[in-house]
Amino acid sequence: MKPTVQIKGLASILPRTRLSSLDLEKKINKDSKKNLLPSGIIEILTGVKERRVADKKVNSSDLATKAAKKAIKDAGINQKEIDCLIFAAATGDIAEPATANIVQENLKLGCPVFDVKNACNSFVNAIEVAEALLVSGKYKCILIANGEIPSRAIRTSVKNKDQLRRAFAGYTLGDAGAAMILVPSAGKRGILYSQFNSYGEHWRQSTFLGGGTRFPRDPEKGYFEGETAGLKDIFIKIGPKQIYDTLKKVGWTINDLDKIIVHQVSLKTFDLVVKEAKLPKEKLVIVLPELGNMVSASIPVALDQAYKKGELHTEDKILLLGLAAGVSIGTVALIW
């Protein structure tokens, strides 16, 4: 199996402001006017010590624009070479038009643009879309830009224990941006295979209900909610099989992998998926404790951090594992 497209440029951006889980607990207790959360409970249950939070005037498009500029520089190309822009994120500036148009204006690009949105798999789904477009010959250089600001969907004023239970999944969220430039593969480097599956019967497990036709103007639906135990069980059930299906397709074994990038919701869920799939821990890139769940930015940020630290080497075999609300799962096997 030969690579189809390769990563020409990669970058990520993290807001400067750090919010510790301890400080978030204090804010929740203060806004709720009752001591609902004992000190340290978020880190104990999720493994998240802190996360980054974007300034109030910063939008998803701003993070995506900054990451895109860094990725263009990393690729060493003239931005006029970009003939398609995909904004891929769960969060966006506005409902209409596509946030990609705002990023396009910021970058002064003259190419076609559109959004890809699929919860925490938005970015890896955009990789699949970009791969197909490049293989078809429609485009020669595609920029995927991402900006996630889920911190604005965290419910800090909680009315009761049931609402707290539903809101707790949001207490892992953190903000970030990332970008990737994809071009047709010139040799051994690039994406070998990608596989995606969805299980729509589980869509109620993790939601942001506001803004659509069901709840167009209900302020109470403007918060992220989730059933963490239910999601954990689903990911453990479907994750390992897809990992091994993908490895079989490209003729690899677990031991052949040099790096494994898994979307990280909480350390408990992460550890259980890793254990069930028998993934070697020394090959995993773990960013959750310091950065939290960055939604669809999690995988490209982790990949970029490994890249910038010099942990990725030419012809390394890498597996990306995306897990998202919906529920959906995506795997990408690539050679660095």
Side-chain angles (χ1 to χ4, degrees):
M1 185 174 289
K2 294 182 179 180
T4 52
V5 305
Q6 70 183 57
I7 299 171
K8 181 75 172 177
L10 178 66
S12 61
I13 189 83
L14 298 172
R16 292 182 180 180
T17 302
R18 301 168 187 261
L19 175 63
S20 71
S21 290
L22 291 174
D23 286 339
L24 178 57
E25 289 161 0
K26 291 175 183 177
K27 179 171 176 55
I28 293 166
N29 288 336
K30 181 181 178 181
D31 291 355
S32 303
K33 298 179 181 179
K34 60 184 78 171
N35 290 322
L36 292 168
L37 295 175
S39 181
I41 193 65
I42 293 176
E43 183 178 349
I44 290 170
L45 294 180
T46 69
V48 178
K49 297 178 182 178
E50 63 179 24
R51 76 282 293 139
R52 301 296 181 93
V53 177
D55 293 342
K56 291 182 179 180
K57 293 183 179 180
V58 173
N59 290 301
S60 296
S61 62
D62 297 318
L63 294 179
T65 300
K66 288 181 179 180
K69 288 179 178 178
K70 290 177 67 178
I72 292 168
K73 184 177 180 180
D74 182 63
I77 64 170
N78 187 312
Q79 69 176 42
K80 291 181 180 179
E81 295 178 48
I82 298 168
D83 51 10
C84 181
L85 162 65
I86 303 173
F87 175 81
T91 66
D93 288 20
I94 52 179
E96 185 74 17
T99 298
N101 291 282
I102 302 173
V103 179
Q104 178 184 31
E105 180 186 40
N106 292 344
L107 294 173
K108 297 179 173 57
L109 295 176
C111 61
V113 307
F114 58 91
D115 285 3
V116 168
K117 182 177 181 178
N118 187 22
C120 295
N121 272 338
S122 298
F123 200 97
V124 289
N125 275 130
I127 292 175
E128 181 187 33
V129 172
E131 179 191 15
L133 290 170
L134 288 165
V135 169
S136 74
K138 180 73 174 179
Y139 302 112
K140 295 180 180 179
C141 183
I142 297 180
L143 167 63
I144 302 173
N146 163 286
E148 294 284 19
I149 307 184
S151 63
R152 293 178 192 166
I154 297 174
R155 186 189 290 274
T156 58
S157 179
V158 180
K159 295 177 181 178
N160 52 55
K161 288 184 178 180
D162 183 62
Q163 194 175 71
L164 176 65
R165 178 182 60 80
R166 291 282 300 171
F168 198 88
Y171 300 156
T172 65
L173 297 175
D175 303 339
M180 180 182 288
I181 292 174
L182 293 171
V183 298
S185 178
K188 294 182 179 180
R189 296 183 59 217
I191 295 171
L192 289 176
Y193 179 72
S194 60
Q195 180 182 351
F196 290 86
N197 285 297
S198 297
Y199 306 86
E201 65 271 22
H202 301 299
W203 74 265
R204 296 170 184 82
Q205 292 287 329
S206 182
T207 60
F208 179 91
L209 295 173
T213 57
R214 290 180 182 239
F215 306 100
R217 297 174 186 84
D218 187 344
E220 279 299 302
K221 304 301 182 182
Y223 299 98
F224 178 80
E225 295 185 336
E227 297 287 351
T228 53
L231 277 176
K232 176 191 67 180
D233 293 341
I234 295 166
F235 289 153
I236 291 170
K237 182 179 180 180
I238 65 177
K241 182 181 183 302
Q242 181 151 330
I243 290 170
Y244 285 94
D245 284 348
T246 298
L247 292 176
K248 183 178 180 181
K249 192 74 176 180
V250 297
W252 295 350
T253 68
I254 281 290
N255 294 328
D256 291 327
L257 294 172
D258 296 292
K259 274 287 181 280
I260 306 168
I261 314 289
V262 180
H263 176 60
Q264 296 154 46
V265 179
S266 76
L267 278 187
K268 284 195 173 183
T269 300
F270 176 78
D271 287 342
L272 287 169
V273 171
V274 167
K275 182 179 179 181
E276 192 70 20
K278 298 180 175 62
L279 302 180
K281 287 190 175 182
E282 69 275 10
K283 296 182 180 181
L284 296 161
V285 179
I286 302 173
V287 297
L288 185 82
E290 290 76 31
L291 299 176
N293 176 1
M294 298 168 282
V295 198
S296 71
S298 296
I299 285 179
V301 167
L303 185 64
D304 185 52
Q305 291 213 342
Y307 170 44
K308 296 302 190 295
K309 290 176 181 177
E311 296 176 0
L312 303 182
H313 308 95
T314 302
E315 296 189 20
D316 271 359
K317 295 180 176 67
I318 300 172
L319 180 72
L320 310 181
L321 173 62
L323 304 166
V327 168
S328 72
I329 178 170
T331 41
V332 179
L334 63 94
I335 297 176
W336 187 255

